[in-house]
Structure formats: C-alpha cells, structure tokens
Amino acid sequence: MLTFIGLGLFDKTDVSEKGLSRIRNADRVYLECYTSRLMGATREGLEQYYRRPVTPLYRSDVEQDPDAMLEEATTKDVVFLCAGDPMVSTTHADLRIRAASRGIPTAIIHAASIASAVCGLSGLQNYRFGKSCSLPFPQKNWFPTTPLDVILANLSQRLHTLVYLDIQDDRYMTVPEAVALLEEMAAARKEKIPLYVGIARAGSDEPVVRAGPGELVRACDFGPPLHILIVPAELHDMEREYLEMFAGL
C-alpha cells in the first residue's frame, strides 16, 4: 500500500488527524523534500512528532529511481509525505500511476494547499486564476522566459497567475528576486506588469502579504521563506478592497 499524505503549509501540526494516524501506523515513512518544504519544522522534529523514522527523498529518488520504495509498497504499508496537498505536483501524480501499474493499492489524504491558501490571503478569487508557472533561478547561458509568456497569456484573458518560486537545496527565491527577474523579462519585450502580490510563510501565525507595482514590492522585506508570487489581472472591486485592507495596496 502506498499512501500519499499532505502535510499542509507550515509546520508539523498542519497534518490532519487522519494523516497523522496513518503515519504513526505505517511500516515506512518517506518525506519528499524538493517540490516544497515545511519551513516551520525539521525532519528531526517530525520524527519526534510522528514517533517514526523519516527517510528524505529528493528529485532523483522520486522521478528517476523510485523502484526501491515501490517494491516496499508491494508488501508493506508505505506513506509518502509532502508539504501542501499531494496531487498539486504532477510528479506525485506520475508516481501514483507507476504504483498502480504495478498493482500497488494507493490512497490520498489531502491537506491545505498553497494553491487555495493564496486566495484567502490575497482575496483574489479562486475561479479567476489561469495557468500557473514556475520561476527558476537563471543559470549561466540559461534565462528562461516561459513564465512571462504564461503571465501575458493570462493577463490577456483577465486571469491571475500564481508563480511558484524556485527552491534549490538551501536556496529559496524571494519575492523581490522574482519581481526583479520578471521585470527584466518584461522590459526586454517592452511589456509592463502593472501589479504584483507577494506572500511569505503562508500557514504560519504571521504571514506577510504585500501588493503593489514592481518597484514597491521589490522594496518590501518579506522575511524568511517560503515565498510565493501572484501577478493579478484587472481587479474586481472586492478584490481591490481586500488587497487595500490586508496587503497595503
């Protein structure tokens, strides 16, 4: 049995009671550590809370070499943990398909996702979001502009864009860094992004939400990670009022 369990947004207490019970009774516990992370928890703290040892998994373990874990799941009760909700990431959907193709029973225990949390924190309406995108750190001779293409396509349809910010080992892209990258891309194309909403530490007791044009948002101190960015389309009246009240627009 392979059970995908979402851990929520920030710390060890965000997991559901159902998820916690399944973790504590599992034969083996794996924690996926590359698509997102619980910034309010350590692996050692999770192990103490779960009363079970936790084995970390990284990109190659999940996408290229999951065979050992899947083999265990043919005879044992294995849980696969991730921050947020399990099936927001396509790599987790692929892993479930692989398990099912081997005849391994699977299940999902859901949790809070950043995809829905940003709506509550920003007041931007769920049904007005278009395609999301990921913004990677540029590398030498590599500066992908696909995120700008997605944003401009959404703006042309009056849709908001959720921009996931890169995580590399212990390096976390910040909202100001992300805005600077997008502003550079837009300037090169003679385009203009009128408004940004930056969010930091969703799910914590003190999240930060700031809205405004690029120059203003780049100057804000969002504090520690994780950060995420929204590029809103034209605002409805209630969305604007919400951002004015809760995000300093």
Side-chain angles (χ1 to χ4, degrees), residues 6-103:
L7 300 180
L9 296 172
F10 188 72
D11 64 25
K12 65 185 182 182
T13 63
D14 287 343
V15 68
S16 68
E17 289 188 12
K18 182 189 293 185
L20 182 59
S21 176
R22 186 69 65 90
I23 294 166
R24 286 177 172 171
N25 288 285
D27 296 313
R28 191 68 183 270
V29 179
Y30 289 97
L31 173 65
E32 187 265 275
C33 297
Y34 72 91
T35 59
S36 187
R37 297 177 188 175
L38 294 181
M39 300 308 296
T42 63
R43 182 163 62 89
E44 294 74 17
L46 293 177
E47 289 181 326
Q48 184 177 16
Y49 189 60
Y50 299 154
R51 306 171 198 158
R52 306 287 293 115
V54 174
T55 301
L57 296 175
Y58 300 94
R59 184 179 296 274
S60 61
D61 301 316
V62 178
E63 296 184 356
Q64 299 170 25
D65 191 25
D67 288 345
M69 178 177 60
L70 292 175
E71 186 61 31
E72 280 186 307
T74 61
T75 58
K76 296 179 180 179
D77 186 4
V78 175
V79 297
F80 178 94
L81 311 180
C82 65
D85 185 80
M87 292 304 153
V88 170
S89 174
T90 55
T91 189
H92 302 160
D94 176 70
L95 183 61
R96 191 182 186 203
I97 290 170
R98 294 194 199 196
S101 69
R102 296 185 180 209

Side-chain angles (χ1 to χ4, degrees), residues 154-203:
N154 283 340
L155 288 175
S156 71
Q157 301 176 71
R158 300 181 65 208
L159 296 174
H160 309 317
T161 307
L162 182 60
V163 184
Y164 294 96
L165 307 187
D166 201 3
I167 297 174
Q168 292 185 0
D169 298 323
D170 291 326
R171 184 185 181 194
Y172 304 92
M173 185 179 289
T174 67
V175 165
E177 287 174 326
V179 171
L181 288 171
L182 291 174
E183 292 280 281
E184 182 179 350
M185 292 181 206
R189 298 260 292 270
K190 295 183 171 54
E191 298 283 355
K192 178 66 176 175
I193 298 175
L195 183 65
Y196 296 90
V197 179
I199 297 174
R201 295 174 305 286

